[in-house]
Amino acid sequence: MDHFLYRDGTLYAEDVPVAEIAAAVGTPFYVYSTATLIRHFTLFDEALDFADHLVCFAMKSASNQAIIKVLANAGAGMDVVSGGEYLRAKAAGVPGDKIVFSGVGKTADEMRMTLEGGIRQFNVESEPEMVVLDQVAQSLGVVAPITVRVNPDVDAKTHAKIATGKSENKFGIPISRAREVYAMAAKMPGLKVIGIDVHIGSQLTDLAPFEAAYRKVAELTEQLRADGHEIKRLDLGGGLGIPYARSNEAPPLPTDYGALIQRTVGHLGCEIEIEPGRLISGNAGLMVSKVIYVKSGEDRDFLILDSAMNDLIRPAMYEAWHDIVPVIEPAPGAAPAKYDIVGPVCESGDTFAKGREMPAVGPDDLVAFRSAGAYGAVMSSEYNSRPLIPEVLVDGDQFAVIRARPTYEEMIARDTVPVWLD
Ligand SMILES: *Cc1c(COP(=O)(O)O)cnc(C)c1O
């Protein structure tokens, strides 16, 4: 459920007409709904009420400080994957003890920065990383709390680029070697083992792979405890999918997911941590764009928009399907048109949809991409020298620009021409 609905024949973001935002900030832009963000976070939070828990928002899905603040105010922790995300979370006021550091390539500098600034735990992904973290922690005279990310070798049955839990993926250590690795960690004076971490992929639309992974984690918890380790926290990752195509997908709900967690690991008495990104931010955002031209081709019509793959890369990168709707509500029974929906970038990959049936629109009409809140703005670039598009946050009847569109001058001024070329 989200808070982008038609009212009086036009699309609203909560209580603000999308067209009003477009008039104020220009197109294209991203707009997020505060109520949707909070609603999705709360669903997860309540689904874990059976245990001590913390829902850590995966910041890589949407990392604007305003979004971080909305979620942190609602009680969320943060899952970060870089020093930059860590500093953003801190800048948004999130305390270090609610920030979890994930990722396969943490550098010694990032470890130092987060140990000094405060961190809830490191989700360690390899033995070499463990060795470096031990050294950094000892050099600072502190002890780093860690979980080890185990790779349970389950097929998440999602897009290959976002599956992470098979043995062929770069993530975590094979679960079969976990006891050995935990034994090694226990001998390192700069580390303190506190739990286990697992994350098998993104956009999962079936609970079965989670169930398989969490059963393996439960079994491992008992083995590690028998080996003498204190396992008091389980970080079960993120990855629950959202319905991009409203008609034919009905992914599991956070309540079903919570019940699954209770069923598989609830008996262990551990504190539960999860790291959802997409399910919190995905349906909380739209990308709004304007039609530049409708071009008739030989066998098809092209809808040429002012947004492109550099603004929303998911269709080009993951063959993702986004619902694209007109901002003016179509008349009931209006005949649908069929378009290839594309942007102005000079590659054929700059195609948002092929042969898409949607209500007919014309030049200067606004269209909205639904479910664009996750992996949208954060993955945007200035390819083709198109300035990064702005982000807007709505809360009830108010809205604010939370990242401004750079001017052409600002964009160009970032380059430096060496003196020898002058
Ligand atoms: C990407 C990622 C997540 C979030 O995944 P979603 O599909 O957005 O929920 C959580 N944890 C880790 C370690 C990740 O890499």
Side-chain angles (χ1 to χ4, degrees):
M1 207 213 105
D2 62 42
H3 294 76
F4 302 108
L5 300 170
Y6 288 113
R7 218 190 278 173
D8 308 324
T10 189
L11 189 64
Y12 273 69
E14 299 193 17
D15 299 327
V16 183
V18 166
E20 188 181 317
I21 303 171
V25 307
T27 56
F29 63 90
Y30 281 98
V31 55
Y32 307 99
S33 153
T34 301
T36 311
L37 289 166
I38 292 177
R39 178 186 148 80
H40 291 161
F41 164 75
T42 306
L43 286 175
F44 277 116
D45 199 32
E46 290 175 356
L48 297 182
D49 265 347
F50 66 89
D52 236 12
H53 65 273
L54 184 67
V55 177
C56 293
F57 175 59
M59 266 180 68
K60 74 176 199 273
S61 73
S63 62
N64 190 292
Q65 284 179 62
I67 292 174
I68 301 318
K69 225 174 171 108
V70 165
L71 293 168
N73 288 349
M78 295 294 144
D79 172 51
V80 306
V81 291
S82 71
E85 283 192 351
Y86 175 82
L87 291 177
R88 249 174 216 269
K90 290 301 283 283
V94 183
D97 64 6
K98 288 183 104 174
I99 306 177
V100 170
F101 196 173
S102 299
V104 291
K106 305 176 195 79
T107 65
D109 282 344
E110 288 174 320
M111 292 168 181
R112 203 168 293 117
M113 174 207 290
T114 50
L115 278 170
E116 282 173 348
I119 191 83
R120 181 176 180 81
Q121 99 226 6
F122 292 86
N123 292 336
V124 173
E125 299 226 11
S126 66
E127 289 132 298
E129 179 190 339
M130 218 156 77
V131 170
V132 173
L133 183 57
D134 178 45
Q135 285 164 356
V136 173
Q138 287 197 56
S139 75
L140 295 173
V142 299
V143 175
I146 67 157
T147 70
V148 176
R149 178 169 175 179
V150 293
N151 186 326
D153 195 23
V154 301
D155 185 351
K157 300 198 168 62
T158 183
H159 191 280
K161 284 188 181 140
I162 49 176
T164 59
K166 285 287 284 175
S167 55
E168 72 217 42
N169 301 126
K170 69 181 174 184
F171 301 97
I173 56 131
I175 199 161
S176 54
R177 293 201 37 243
R179 293 172 76 182
E180 202 182 310
V181 175
Y182 273 86
M184 187 178 147
K187 293 201 193 88
M188 296 186 168
L191 306 184
K192 167 90 181 103
V193 168
I194 58 162
I196 306 175
D197 170 47
V198 69
H199 170 74
I200 58 175
S202 201
Q203 186 53 17
L204 273 75
T205 52
D206 178 7
L207 288 180
F210 287 118
E211 173 131 22
Y214 298 169
R215 289 206 182 284
K216 291 189 180 188
V217 168
E219 199 180 311
L220 178 63
T221 303
E222 279 165 357
Q223 285 172 350
L224 292 176
R225 282 177 171 169
D227 291 346
H229 302 284
E230 193 189 6
I231 304 297
K232 58 180 184 185
R233 183 181 293 166
L234 299 179
D235 182 333
L236 300 173
L240 201 58
I242 63 170
Y244 282 97
R246 267 134 215 276
S247 47
N248 54 19
E249 283 176 71
L253 300 170
T255 44
D256 303 333
Y257 178 65
L260 161 72
I261 292 174
Q262 184 169 17
R263 196 163 71 235
T264 49
V265 302
H267 60 287
L268 297 165
C270 289
E271 179 185 5
I272 304 295
E273 227 166 56
I274 55 170
E275 306 166 342
R278 188 188 312 265
L279 203 142
I280 291 177
S281 56
N283 285 332
L286 303 177
M287 182 179 73
V288 179
S289 182
K290 190 155 77 180
V291 177
I292 309 178
Y293 298 115
V294 182
K295 172 174 155 177
S296 299
E298 257 183 6
D299 59 349
R300 63 192 66 208
D301 290 338
F302 294 96
L303 204 58
I304 304 176
L305 304 181
D306 66 355
S307 59
M309 63 189 288
N310 67 297
D311 304 312
L312 177 66
I313 204 172
R314 298 191 65 260
M317 180 113 156
Y318 310 113
E319 291 94 38
W321 197 101
H322 281 270
D323 198 9
I324 304 170
V325 300
V327 166
I328 299 296
E329 188 174 20
K338 198 178 200 180
Y339 302 112
D340 279 14
I341 304 174
V342 304
V345 161
C346 303
E347 336 193 346
S348 297
D350 185 24
T351 299
F352 291 121
K354 283 198 159 149
R356 177 68 63 86
E357 284 199 0
M358 65 173 283
V361 287
D364 292 333
D365 285 349
L366 298 172
V367 296
F369 287 68
R370 289 192 177 273
S371 312
Y375 307 103
V378 284
M379 294 182 84
S380 60
S381 76
E382 292 184 336
Y383 187 38
N384 277 216
S385 289
R386 298 166 44 84
L388 284 183
I389 69 176
E391 294 180 283
V392 173
L393 182 69
V394 170
D395 184 359
D397 61 3
Q398 46 183 348
F399 73 91
V401 174
I402 56 173
R403 185 179 74 190
R405 188 193 313 274
T407 62
Y408 285 119
E409 291 71 24
E410 285 164 344
M411 178 179 70
I412 292 163
R414 269 187 239 127
D415 300 351
T416 308
V417 177
V419 286
W420 67 82
L421 289 176
D422 272 339

